[in-house]
Amino acid sequence: DQQVKQNSPSLSVQEGRISILNCDYTNSMFDYFLWYKKYPAEGPTFLISISSIKDKNEDGRFTVFLNKSAKHLSLHIVPSQPGDSAVYFCAASRDTDKLIFGTGTRLQVFP
Amino acid sequence: ETGVTQSPTHLIKTRGQQVTLRCSSQSGHNTVSWYQQALGQGPQFIFQYYREEENGRGNFPPRFSGLQFPNYSSELNVNALELDDSALYLCASSLAEQRGFSGNTIYFGEGSWLTVV
């Protein structure tokens, strides 16, 4: 029972362009959503989060959009940089620090 | 760097054996969570320890057990290892009393790679 889904295993984007990573969830009780970035041989690092009472949160080049009616969120990275190449995980929680992760999307930013 | 350290970084065990993985949490954090990340999958919540007591468990069998010590460091023990236990095991520390949950209060270690042969 995959409550958090990332249907695109990989994404390739040219440097300077926008990267859009998508995530769907099934449990309407989730009230917090997070994005983590993971490089090989490192643990996940927190990127940005959004509460279910909001529909947008922005932090520098990173913006997360939440569409509760569609149970969908997306992470926009603009402009994309080669250093953004990593695996991105979407995660959800019910106001706790016990996270439910998606399967990840590998982003590659090429020059 | 998150301040969360895990050991060992890599190990190989034989099916049926037992393994202990260790985690030192971020200074000041009193909660430790363990996750299993199989190849091609996202991290799956195993369990959480808060002040030395189990505080929530995911869908893992009882042969996965843990401990948290007074200094808030933690161990994950897996008995009767199976081939499917091969994965990256991640430890995450947090502070339960921190007001509000915003995600940036959870710190992950680099993980322990376990291979069961």
Side-chain angles (χ1 to χ4, degrees):
Chain A
D1 177 23
Q2 192 72 26
Q3 296 186 69
V4 178
K5 301 178 185 179
Q6 294 176 257
N7 293 318
S8 298
S10 64
L11 175 67
S12 191
V13 171
Q14 190 172 29
E15 182 179 5
R17 301 274 192 149
I18 185 170
S19 295
I20 300 176
L21 296 95
N22 294 303
C23 179
D24 297 296
Y25 62 96
T26 57
N27 190 340
S28 57
M29 300 299 291
F30 288 141
D31 52 16
Y32 229 97
F33 303 91
L34 309 92
W35 285 94
Y36 281 84
K37 176 180 180 179
K38 188 177 186 299
Y39 293 116
E42 293 186 11
T45 54
F46 171 78
L47 260 182
I48 192 168
S49 62
I50 188 167
S51 163
S52 61
I53 62 173
K54 297 187 175 181
D55 55 18
K56 178 182 174 181
N57 188 26
E58 191 172 352
D59 183 3
R61 296 187 298 115
F62 303 93
T63 303
V64 56
F65 295 92
L66 175 62
N67 182 335
K68 280 196 297 182
S69 61
K71 293 191 177 69
H72 176 84
L73 64 154
S74 61
L75 173 67
H76 292 210
I77 306 173
V78 56
S80 301
Q81 299 173 354
D84 296 329
S85 298
V87 178
Y88 289 77
F89 290 100
C90 169
S93 79
R94 291 179 59 179
D95 197 32
T96 74
D97 51 3
K98 304 179 185 73
L99 304 177
I100 298 174
F101 284 87
T103 53
T105 297
R106 182 176 301 278
L107 172 65
Q108 183 177 7
V109 180
F110 60 93
Chain B
E1 246 178 66
T2 64
V4 179
T5 58
Q6 293 187 241
S7 62
T9 54
H10 295 82
L11 71 166
I12 301 174
K13 289 285 189 177
T14 304
R15 190 172 46 183
Q17 284 188 314
Q18 179 265 345
V19 69
T20 297
L21 307 177
R22 295 177 175 83
C23 172
S24 293
S25 56
Q26 169 83 3
S27 177
H29 282 186
N30 55 15
T31 302
V32 173
S33 303
W34 286 92
Y35 292 82
Q36 179 197 65
Q37 185 182 3
L39 203 60
Q41 302 296 315
Q44 300 288 313
F45 175 74
I46 304 174
F47 44 55
Q48 183 183 85
Y49 278 82
Y50 169 64
R51 292 188 171 178
E52 303 177 57
E53 298 285 333
E54 188 177 290
N55 181 40
R57 188 178 183 94
N59 189 25
F60 281 81
R63 59 190 185 82
F64 284 78
S65 63
L67 281 174
Q68 188 181 29
F69 301 99
N71 66 355
Y72 302 129
S73 65
S74 177
E75 285 183 356
L76 164 65
N77 299 291
V78 187
N79 293 322
L81 283 167
E82 300 176 0
L83 298 180
D84 285 349
D85 296 333
S86 296
L88 175 67
Y89 289 85
L90 293 162
C91 169
S93 78
S94 55
L95 181 60
E97 289 83 3
Q98 194 152 0
R99 282 183 174 270
F101 172 64
S102 60
N104 61 350
T105 54
I106 304 172
Y107 297 92
F108 282 86
E110 295 182 358
S112 294
W113 282 100
L114 170 65
T115 301
V116 182
V117 297

